[in-house]
Amino acid sequence: MNIKTVLLKLVTAIIDLFVLFFVFTLTMGTITSIEEGSIFGLQILTASSLFLGCLVILDISYYLFRIFLLIDQRTFFSKIALHAVKMIRYLFIAEFVILLGIMPFVYYTADHGDAPGLIIIVGAVVFLPLAIATFVYTMEQILDNSIKMKDENDLTI
């Protein structure tokens, strides 16, 4: 087993465990609200957005594990890795769009709870995947240029 990516795999697995725990907690809370009859439309939209967001995070983890495997095999500078990085970028953009679904509930909660700062804080969290997607796009361009240089050097030798 290669030691290079063990820590990265461990951190990704721990994040996945937290996401699964969040899904479990969200499921239990949603079931309890449905049984009590205290759920309304914005809560359903928010819970659905959070469930879909968790699925996207697990998909991102899958592609990260594929990248870690390529790093272990010393084949990171390949089209397969470039495809995985592109998919991660697309998934982060999808995460941003999905998380926009929680904003109506946040607005409702901030309006009724007299907490306007809540909208700014949650808005920052919602826009975080978009910032990460921008960073991943930059890394994608660097990887693409590296692959082109590698292919050019392989043809030279």
Side-chain angles (χ1 to χ4, degrees):
M1 183 164 110
N2 215 335
I3 302 295
K4 291 181 182 179
T5 59
V6 170
L7 181 63
L8 296 172
K9 290 177 185 175
L10 182 65
V11 169
T12 305
I14 289 171
I15 291 170
D16 289 345
L17 288 175
F18 278 119
V19 168
L20 291 174
F21 177 72
F22 178 75
V23 167
F24 174 75
T25 306
L26 183 62
T27 303
M28 297 310 290
T30 304
I31 289 172
T32 303
S33 294
I34 290 172
E35 287 175 352
E36 293 175 357
S38 64
I39 196 163
F40 60 97
L42 289 179
Q43 286 177 322
I44 293 171
L45 175 67
T46 302
S48 301
S49 295
L50 291 174
F51 280 125
L52 286 173
C54 289
L55 288 176
V56 170
I57 290 172
L58 293 175
D59 285 343
I60 290 170
S61 294
Y62 167 74
Y63 283 105
L64 284 174
F65 275 108
R66 287 183 63 183
I67 288 174
F68 299 152
L69 182 66
L70 291 172
I71 291 171
D72 286 341
Q73 294 172 349
R74 299 182 188 268
T75 58
F76 178 69
F77 294 103
S78 64
K79 296 289 183 184
I80 298 169
L82 185 62
H83 174 71
V85 172
K86 282 183 183 181
M87 289 304 297
I88 289 172
R89 177 173 52 107
Y90 295 146
L91 288 169
F92 270 116
I93 293 170
E95 182 76 16
F96 163 71
V97 171
I98 290 169
L99 286 180
L100 284 176
I102 68 172
M103 290 307 286
F105 181 73
V106 171
Y107 176 77
Y108 174 82
T109 304
D111 189 37
H112 284 65
D114 197 29
L118 183 66
I119 295 172
I120 295 170
I121 293 170
V122 175
V125 172
V126 167
F127 276 91
L128 189 62
L130 195 60
I132 294 172
T134 305
F135 177 74
V136 170
Y137 179 71
T138 305
M139 294 297 111
E140 178 186 330
Q141 294 302 312
I142 292 171
L143 179 62
D144 190 31
N145 289 336
S146 300
I147 291 171
K148 288 177 184 174
M149 289 177 63
K150 179 184 171 284
D151 290 344
E152 187 177 303
N153 285 340
D154 288 346
L155 292 174
T156 304
I157 296 176

